[in-house]
Amino acid sequence: MPTGRTITHTILAAVIAVASFSLYSHRLEFAPPDVQIDEVLISVNANQIAETGRDFRGNLLPLYTQTAATSWYQPWVIYLTAASVKVFPFSEWSIRLPAVLMSVLSVVLMFLVVARMAGTAAGVASAVMLALTPTLFIHSRYGMDYHYPIPFILGWLYCLLRFDAGRNSAWLVGGTAILGAGFYCYISSIVMMPLYLAMTMMWLYMRAEQPRAYGLAAAGMLPWLLPFLVWLVLHPEAYSATVVKYGLYDSEKLNAAQGLRSSFSFLSVGQRLSQYWNYYDPSLLFFGSGIKVQFSTNLVGVFLLPMAALILGGIYAALKRRAEPFYLIALLGFISAPFAAAIPTEENAIFRALGLLPFGVLLASFGLQQLWSLEAPRSLVLGLRGLSLFGATFAVAYGGWSIATGRGMPASAVPLLVVAIVAIVATQLPGRIWVTRMAVAGLLLLMPLQFASFWSDYFGPYRERVSFWLGGNIRGALEDVIARVEPGSATPVYFAPLKAAAGNLDWRNGFLDAYWQFYVLKHQRADLWDRARSVDDKDLTSLPQGAVVVSNVENTAVNELVKAGTLREVARVNEIDGRPFFIVLQK
């Protein structure tokens, strides 16, 4: 029979899931405003597998899906996206749905982990802190897999807690099996999941478990690695391609052994240590400085600003209780989260180190508990009392002066007065613990307020700031062409080079074919799948009559043909900021 606590947790988990889904799925097709190229490649390949069971290279249900010479996508994102587009119509919403669901699962698991460890209230607070983490929100709205490790990490921790409570070996095996499955969720997991297995062994050692437990832990994860090893033997080119893609070393000059040795050279280690420390720069963690605009509004950090105090308190609490395995693992998980991300030569790539998020929130939950039971120093109480009296006096005086001069009650006066009165009452209560609790309550209150500001920017000005980096309004141009070419017609479609007036080629040229496939799938126009092709400027004059051409307003060769009457502009596609970039023409 389920206990009252189990029923309560089940109900709360359901409520948290619904609330998180509502938050994360809000206007999913509206923001991000454009589909990022990785989303395109993932979804087009996933749709191919969903429809035929094979990828574009003819491989039956491939373990890793190759989309380019140096790119293989992890199976979880491919197959979850395939399932989504099999159930729902192919669209921006359906390809992003799996990412949303993975984040909802993460928030629910965060609640279950902390509720089991510290109680229901702490569990709810931790779930809210994770749900309101800006970086998780942003990554959850891309149809990509950067945040996929988070539910696997939390599922593993939950199983360890259940094993620790009842010594049921099934929970231990289940926890490490989750790590094994998580090995395939994101490329950094190839490094991080074995590291978490090592932390599991540390947990068992600290609990003085019998040798059998170590064997069971290994047996839960290691069989999951066999498919990867077999696949790597069958695809040796994947290793060298990955080295090239992430710039690990010069594969043209060095073999694998030499490359590995060069990775541990004095200069290489120094560079990676510098990158590692950058992930703990407060300007990055709490202000968003230096993160790619696709993954940050740059007006808010990886975590909300009030989390800084809670995480610091949690680090202190974890150090005090480091003899307890869960506290030590939370601390080590936070410290080790950027290990894999520091291997490529890429600065501030927080999207490769999102394991920081669950461990950061766990530390914040420790800090919340630590501060909630801490008595404030008497000097702090007296100082706060004086400051509160001054605040209340100022609020009354400012409000009265404003009313007397005919300006009405200022919006800030009432909240300031309320906060000051609450602070005065708290400093008069017996026991100085109430002052600390009021400060903690203030931090918790500031989180949704800062998140609301982030939310407003994300669905507003940020869409304009990020649009170019996501490819701009390619959708507007290609959907115009798709609507223009009637079903059953033989009208050919051409992509003229996108380039600046000075002749510099645009980075989007190499991806137009993939975007075309995406929007053809979205509009269910299979007849157009192979209709579009690229064409050089010099060949534009020889296009067949009626051909539709996509170009951009600064392509001088195209503009000259328009002036000569060879091509006719039929549509000009504006970006979010109102400026035109793409144009649609017809021969």
Side-chain angles (χ1 to χ4, degrees), residues 270 366 405 414 416 419 424 445 548:
F366 301 162
T405 56
V414 174
L416 177 60
V419 170
I424 292 170
L445 179 62
V548 176

Side-chain angles (χ1 to χ4, degrees), residues 28-233:
L28 198 54
E29 73 293 336
F30 177 76
D34 308 293
V35 185
Q36 208 258 12
I37 183 56
D38 285 309
E39 292 184 276
V40 171
L41 295 174
I42 288 168
S43 59
V44 168
N45 281 272
N47 185 79
Q48 176 71 9
I49 292 174
E51 293 294 326
T52 68
R54 296 181 181 274
D55 63 14
F56 285 116
R57 297 172 184 267
N59 300 311
L60 178 64
L61 299 177
L63 182 62
Y64 291 90
T65 304
Q66 186 176 8
T67 61
T70 60
S71 292
W72 280 264
Y73 284 104
Q74 306 293 311
W76 274 104
V77 68
I78 291 290
Y79 286 100
L80 287 179
T81 306
S84 182
V85 299
K86 193 72 172 175
V87 174
F88 302 103
F90 189 98
S91 67
E92 290 88 350
W93 186 89
S94 64
I95 68 152
R96 290 170 174 170
L97 177 62
V100 170
L101 294 177
M102 291 297 275
S103 287
V104 171
L105 178 60
S106 298
V107 174
V108 171
L109 285 170
M110 177 60 74
F111 162 71
L112 294 175
V113 167
V114 178
R116 172 158 287 276
M117 180 198 70
T120 303
V124 171
S126 298
V128 171
M129 286 190 286
L130 182 60
L132 298 186
T133 298
T135 298
L136 181 62
F137 181 86
I138 287 179
H139 285 81
S140 299
R141 299 176 64 84
Y142 287 114
M144 295 185 282
D145 56 0
Y146 295 119
H147 64 298
Y148 273 35
I150 297 175
F152 291 96
I153 292 170
L154 291 169
W156 159 63
L157 291 174
Y158 180 77
C159 288
L160 283 186
L161 287 172
R162 293 297 300 264
F163 168 72
D164 203 47
R167 292 302 188 275
N168 185 338
S169 298
W171 287 107
L172 176 60
V173 175
T176 54
I178 288 173
L179 295 180
F183 186 86
Y184 299 96
C185 70
Y186 181 58
I187 190 168
S188 69
S189 297
I190 294 174
V191 173
M192 301 309 298
M193 296 302 168
L195 180 60
Y196 299 143
L197 177 63
M199 291 184 189
T200 305
M201 300 301 184
M202 181 196 72
W203 180 305
L204 298 176
Y205 176 79
M206 294 177 70
R207 289 294 195 229
E209 294 291 338
Q210 297 298 312
R212 177 175 176 272
Y214 294 86
L216 289 173
M221 180 176 182
L222 295 183
W224 286 88
L225 308 188
L226 294 177
F228 171 75
L229 297 175
V230 172
W231 180 87
L232 195 58
V233 170

Side-chain angles (χ1 to χ4, degrees), residues 343-355:
I343 295 174
T345 53
E346 190 171 8
E347 294 286 347
N348 299 333
I350 192 62
F351 49 93
R352 303 199 189 283
L354 294 185

Side-chain angles (χ1 to χ4, degrees), residues 530-550:
D530 296 320
R531 187 74 61 87
R533 65 205 64 175
S534 298
V535 61
D536 290 333
D537 286 340
K538 58 184 176 59
D539 296 325
L540 288 171
T541 55
S542 60
L543 298 183
Q545 199 67 25
V548 176
V549 179
V550 177

Side-chain angles (χ1 to χ4, degrees), residues 451-472:
F451 186 84
S453 175
F454 157 75
W455 174 280
S456 177
D457 178 59
Y458 180 83
F459 287 102
Y462 176 66
R463 295 180 71 249
E464 183 177 322
R465 299 200 301 273
V466 76
S467 180
F468 170 77
W469 300 102
L470 299 180

